[in-house]
Amino acid sequence: LQVLVVGGGDGGVLREISRHTSVETIDICEIDKMVIDVSKKFFPELSIGFEDSRVHLHVGDAVEFLQRTPAGKYDAIIVDSSDPVGPALELVEKPFFETIARALRPGGVLCNMAESMWLHTHLIEDMISICRETFKGSVHYAWASVPTYPSGVIGFVLCSTEGPGVDFLNPVNPIEEVDGAGNHKRELRFYNSEMHRAAFALPNFLKREVSLLRGATVPFLVRGELM
Amino acid sequence: LQVLVVGGGDGGVLREISRHTSVETIDICEIDKMVIDVSKKFFPELSIGFEDSRVHLHVGDAVEFLQRTPAGKYDAIIVDSSDPVGPALELVEKPFFETIARALRPGGVLCNMAESMWLHTHLIEDMISICRETFKGSVHYAWASVPTYPSGVIGFVLCSTEGPGVDFLNPVNPIEEVDGAGNHKRELRFYNSEMHRAAFALPNFLKREVSLLRGATVPFLVRGELM
């Protein structure tokens, strides 16, 4: 598998991707070299992600990098960028998502950070709307508890391009079945298959305020039957 | 059903209980009348819970109230108290839980606020340990995102007394099946069956640091099969 990280200069996302032996190449395109240098100096537990031999660092603008990328090159792209204000604004606009979709193979996936469900419902609505127009596979919203982020959560938009179907809720390789993933460089302290599934459960207010999520449901077992 | 709320003087828990038509009586024992008065003055959306005709207010110490309560009186007790420091400390100690268990019918349930999984693992371990000793049914830990709380989450310990089994993960009456519950006094903005189930998913660090939760798993569907 070929994976691209946009942003992510602290190395944490690299560290997590490198748990997966199925990944052959991890490209990372970070615009600000100082983020990497500071992370290596002060956050060795994150920057350890750069030490994997599969990682190839590209310092530069991801928009330009993606325009030079052959169509269909990547299996997965993870966008771990700044908040969508100022210079990072174009990373939540339609042309950027179109460039991402072009760089993914058919049935390839994007995971993009997508703000707080408590604070940014309009922005989430916009992102999902653009993703639905751009990605012809599935589009989901998920969230996780992060105590240091405003309102204590961070969200993710997960999208797949037209092609083989992607079931985001049920990973092909659950983390517990990936050999050694639980202790690769640093033990998994948060993530497991239960937390993965729970991340897709959405509160009523989010479904109501983000009309595109209105039909979203997680097939939990209720008294032995799917609901 | 007979329900008791310990604390909860703002009225919010009363408002939520009163969505359920199966509830006949809602006793509330709040030690501080000023909490109620202030809530009625400044938080009318919460204090509306006191307006239900099934609510009976007892201003006083819940420990004394429970000691006067006939054994087996309540079907459910919800403890919505202050943080377990200073005067509220006895509300997380064993004698209090024994008093609660005595006041519950066989197979009756307790829901007790139980701090933040990010900040208070030792306290959670202590509470679960005491509850396992005191309640002979099931004991679970759950959590929910609350942006205004420290670290953005609040936890709950859910326990049942010896008697008919209680399956906390699969409520007998899912909220969507309770007539009118979704719009009773105020629409449900957060809670639904998906969020209920997701609340029981626990991160690895919590299972590791709270040894009593180590075996806790949520039976999510993975590729069509229970795991």
Side-chain angles (χ1 to χ4, degrees):
Chain A
L1 296 177
Q2 314 295 319
V3 180
L4 170 66
V5 177
V6 172
D10 58 48
V13 168
L14 298 176
R15 184 187 70 196
E16 299 310 309
I17 296 168
S18 60
R19 297 179 189 274
H20 296 267
T21 50
S22 56
V23 172
E24 296 152 77
T25 306
I26 313 174
D27 286 331
I28 173 167
C29 187
E30 164 62 57
I31 200 167
D32 186 350
K33 187 165 180 301
M34 192 188 283
V35 171
I36 301 166
D37 296 339
V38 168
S39 176
K40 286 186 175 171
K41 187 164 178 188
F42 295 106
F43 306 114
E45 288 209 354
L46 290 170
S47 62
I48 194 174
F50 283 100
E51 291 174 17
D52 194 290
S53 62
R54 294 168 291 177
V55 169
H56 303 278
L57 172 61
H58 309 266
V59 175
D61 181 5
V63 174
E64 291 166 21
F65 180 87
L66 281 161
Q67 280 160 355
R68 290 194 310 269
T69 297
K73 175 170 182 185
Y74 291 107
D75 299 280
I77 296 178
I78 297 174
V79 179
D80 177 17
S81 66
S82 313
D83 283 328
V85 286
L89 193 59
E90 68 178 314
L91 301 186
V92 292
E93 291 173 344
K94 197 166 186 218
F96 180 68
F97 285 106
E98 287 170 342
T99 313
I100 294 262
R102 186 190 142 278
L104 285 170
R105 68 159 166 80
V109 302
L110 162 69
C111 176
N112 200 317
M113 281 178 70
E115 305 301 309
S116 161
M117 63 187 183
W118 291 110
L119 303 174
H120 309 106
T121 49
H122 291 299
L123 210 142
I124 293 167
E125 173 109 47
D126 289 348
M127 283 182 80
I128 292 175
S129 169
I130 291 170
C131 288
R132 286 267 171 96
E133 289 165 18
T134 313
F135 295 87
K136 306 301 185 189
S138 48
V139 176
H140 282 274
Y141 190 80
W143 64 278
S145 165
V146 180
T148 51
Y149 277 12
S151 83
V153 299
I154 189 69
F156 310 92
V157 171
L158 295 139
C159 312
S160 63
T161 53
E162 193 168 14
V166 175
D167 180 0
F168 283 107
L169 279 64
N170 299 299
V172 175
N173 299 308
I175 195 75
E176 292 84 358
E177 291 179 20
V178 176
D179 259 355
N183 292 304
H184 181 79
K185 291 183 181 162
R186 185 167 176 277
E187 60 182 354
L188 279 164
R189 300 199 63 202
F190 185 84
Y191 185 67
N192 56 43
S193 287
E194 294 169 33
M195 297 305 289
H196 177 90
R197 173 58 70 100
F200 292 87
L202 306 180
N204 286 346
F205 77 86
L206 191 65
K207 293 191 199 183
R208 192 149 41 218
E209 291 172 30
V210 181
S211 58
L212 294 164
L213 292 175
R214 206 154 286 160
T217 52
V218 183
F220 287 125
L221 273 184
V222 172
R223 279 172 289 161
E225 287 174 35
L226 274 174
M227 70 167 286
Chain B
L1 297 176
Q2 313 294 320
V3 180
L4 170 65
V5 176
V6 172
D10 58 46
V13 169
L14 298 176
R15 184 187 67 195
E16 299 309 309
I17 297 168
S18 60
R19 295 180 191 277
H20 296 268
T21 49
S22 57
V23 172
E24 295 153 78
T25 306
I26 313 173
D27 286 332
I28 173 168
C29 188
E30 164 63 57
I31 200 167
D32 188 348
K33 186 166 181 298
M34 192 188 283
V35 171
I36 301 165
D37 296 339
V38 168
S39 176
K40 286 186 174 172
K41 187 165 177 185
F42 296 105
F43 306 114
E45 286 208 357
L46 290 170
S47 63
I48 194 173
F50 283 100
E51 291 175 18
D52 194 291
S53 62
R54 294 167 291 178
V55 169
H56 303 278
L57 171 62
H58 310 267
V59 174
D61 181 6
V63 174
E64 291 167 21
F65 180 87
L66 282 160
Q67 280 160 354
R68 291 194 309 270
T69 298
K73 177 170 181 184
Y74 291 107
D75 299 279
I77 296 178
I78 296 173
V79 180
D80 177 16
S81 67
S82 313
D83 283 329
V85 287
L89 193 59
E90 68 178 313
L91 301 186
V92 291
E93 291 174 343
K94 195 166 186 218
F96 179 69
F97 286 105
E98 287 169 344
T99 314
I100 294 263
R102 186 189 143 276
L104 284 170
R105 66 158 167 83
V109 302
L110 163 68
C111 175
N112 200 318
M113 280 178 74
E115 305 302 308
S116 162
M117 62 186 185
W118 292 109
L119 303 174
H120 308 106
T121 50
H122 291 298
L123 210 142
I124 293 167
E125 173 110 47
D126 289 349
M127 282 182 82
I128 292 175
S129 170
I130 291 170
C131 288
R132 286 265 171 97
E133 289 166 17
T134 312
F135 294 88
K136 306 302 184 187
S138 49
V139 175
H140 282 274
Y141 190 80
W143 65 278
S145 165
V146 181
T148 51
Y149 277 12
S151 84
V153 300
I154 188 68
F156 310 92
V157 171
L158 294 139
C159 311
S160 63
T161 54
E162 193 169 15
V166 176
D167 180 0
F168 283 108
L169 279 65
N170 299 299
V172 175
N173 299 308
I175 195 74
E176 291 84 357
E177 292 180 19
V178 175
D179 260 354
N183 291 305
H184 181 80
K185 288 180 184 163
R186 184 170 175 275
E187 60 183 352
L188 280 164
R189 299 200 61 202
F190 186 83
Y191 185 67
N192 56 43
S193 286
E194 293 168 35
M195 298 305 289
H196 177 90
R197 172 59 69 101
F200 292 86
L202 306 181
N204 287 346
F205 77 87
L206 191 67
K207 293 191 198 183
R208 192 148 42 219
E209 291 172 32
V210 181
S211 58
L212 294 164
L213 292 176
R214 208 154 285 160
T217 52
V218 182
F220 286 126
L221 272 184
V222 173
R223 278 173 289 165
E225 286 174 36
L226 273 175
M227 68 170 287

